[in-house]
Amino acid sequence: MEYARRIGTKIKLYSELVMFSHTLFSLPFAIISMVWAAEGFPSWRVMLWGLIALIGARNGANAFNRVVDRTFDAQNPRTAHRHLPRMLLGEREVLGFVVINYAIFIFAAGMLNPLCLILSPVAIFLISSYSYTKRFTYLSHLYLGFTIASAPIGAWFAVTGRFAFTPFILGTVVMLWIAGFDIIYGSQDIEFDKNHGLWSIPSIFGLENGLRIAAGLHLIMVLLLIALIPIRQLGWLYITGIVISIFLLMTEHKIIAPSNRKVMKVASYNLNQVISMVILFFTLGDYFLT
């Protein structure tokens, strides 16, 4: 019983370490991409290995980021409670967790098709290198979005094994969306970033200009979602989902308050988790019900 309790505690710690609930940012768009690529639900085999690949890559990248940023996290009052600064998990065991998840990702990619297997090391390099970008460029927000954009693009490859135009539009939507709310999230650390030589759009351009840039990225994101209507011949349910998402994005930008951590969690994370699920359900509803 004691052994089972310890295992349960470790699982909980690793889930918190990689913020597993944030899978809702990439998974819905990966599912949409799979459905569009397969022109219906793909086989259970593709769905299973695609999901395993996504989770493995995401968990590995997030854990690696925690190791790379452990020193800064310990110095920042906002992040000092994280697992490595508090020594709830050791650096070596987290690195072991990274290796295991990346191995799972490569194996799952190989179970999908040769293209996914060939591209898997490239994907690992991209998602791992993000952790260092804040040290030399304020474009780190866009790079983060770029790495997460690999979810819908990779999902398309998993189904078809070939390149296409649609997944790259969907990937660009994800990139701009993620970058926008990561700028909002980063507005909490303007002074810390300036004092520790870290780069971010809010710390370089200031709070107001940073938030304008975030809003601009989200505007382009919405325009691309609208552009998909004629490309994919989407109907009124999809349009309804986009309208709801626009309202949620406007709410997100309206409530921003960098000094209020709870409000920023809602603006940066909670509302965006709802947005991704709204887009998923209304897009699938449009595809299967209209």
Side-chain angles (χ1 to χ4, degrees):
M1 182 67 73
E2 179 63 21
Y3 180 75
R5 187 187 66 80
R6 289 181 180 177
I7 293 294
T9 300
K10 281 290 184 182
I11 292 173
K12 182 175 182 294
L13 287 173
Y14 279 116
S15 176
E16 292 169 348
L17 175 80
V18 300
M19 298 182 291
F20 190 76
S21 62
H22 292 187
T23 306
L24 289 179
F25 295 140
S26 55
L27 181 60
F29 289 94
I31 293 173
I32 291 170
S33 186
M34 280 187 170
V35 168
W36 283 353
E39 298 184 356
F41 279 112
S43 68
W44 69 267
R45 181 179 176 278
V46 170
M47 286 288 286
L48 174 64
W49 288 114
L51 181 62
I52 291 173
L54 186 149
I55 292 174
R58 188 202 166 280
N59 285 351
N62 275 33
F64 184 73
N65 185 60
R66 289 290 178 263
V67 173
V68 172
D69 281 351
R70 64 195 183 282
T71 303
F72 292 116
D73 285 346
Q75 297 174 46
N76 188 339
R78 186 182 60 79
T79 57
H81 68 282
R82 288 177 176 173
H83 296 69
L84 284 171
R86 290 172 60 198
M87 294 184 287
L88 297 175
L89 291 168
E91 182 180 337
R92 282 189 177 182
E93 60 180 322
V94 173
L95 285 173
F97 181 76
V98 172
V99 171
I100 290 170
N101 276 276
Y102 280 167
I104 290 171
F105 166 62
I106 293 172
F107 181 78
M111 294 299 293
L112 287 164
N113 57 58
L115 179 61
C116 290
L117 179 60
I118 291 170
L119 292 176
S120 60
V122 178
I124 288 174
F125 171 77
L126 291 175
I127 61 181
S128 300
S129 58
Y130 156 71
S131 301
Y132 297 97
T133 56
K134 202 172 181 181
R135 288 158 170 77
F136 62 86
T137 176
Y138 59 80
L139 296 178
S140 56
H141 312 280
L142 281 164
Y143 194 86
L144 173 64
F146 172 70
T147 62
I148 298 177
S150 63
I153 296 172
W156 188 283
F157 292 165
V159 174
T160 66
R162 60 180 184 272
F163 289 85
F165 184 59
T166 296
F168 285 95
I169 297 179
L170 203 54
T172 304
V173 166
V174 172
M175 180 183 74
L176 296 172
W177 173 52
I178 296 290
F181 74 72
D182 190 58
I183 292 170
I184 293 172
Y185 183 76
S187 67
Q188 300 173 92
D189 294 329
I190 291 176
E191 292 306 316
F192 181 85
D193 289 348
K194 286 181 178 179
N195 294 334
H196 290 80
L198 296 175
W199 293 62
S200 70
I201 284 177
S203 69
I204 299 296
F205 297 100
L207 176 61
E208 290 187 7
N209 287 331
L211 296 180
R212 289 191 187 102
I213 292 170
L217 294 177
H218 284 163
L219 175 60
I220 300 171
M221 164 208 171
V222 168
L223 293 176
L224 286 176
L225 286 170
I226 293 171
L228 283 168
I229 295 172
I231 294 173
R232 297 297 309 177
Q233 297 182 337
L234 300 164
W236 67 271
L237 269 176
Y238 174 85
I239 295 171
T240 301
I242 300 309
V243 170
I244 295 172
S245 298
I246 291 171
F247 173 77
L248 291 170
L249 281 169
M250 291 173 64
T251 302
E252 173 183 328
H253 284 270
K254 187 176 180 60
I255 67 173
I256 295 169
S259 61
N260 190 322
R261 194 172 299 178
K262 289 184 179 179
V263 169
M264 293 306 289
K265 181 181 179 183
V266 173
S268 302
Y269 292 145
N270 300 126
L271 279 174
N272 287 293
Q273 289 172 331
V274 175
I275 288 170
S276 64
M277 296 307 294
V278 165
I279 293 174
L280 172 65
F281 287 128
F282 278 86
T283 301
L284 294 186
D286 188 85
Y287 188 90
F288 290 106
L289 300 177
T290 61

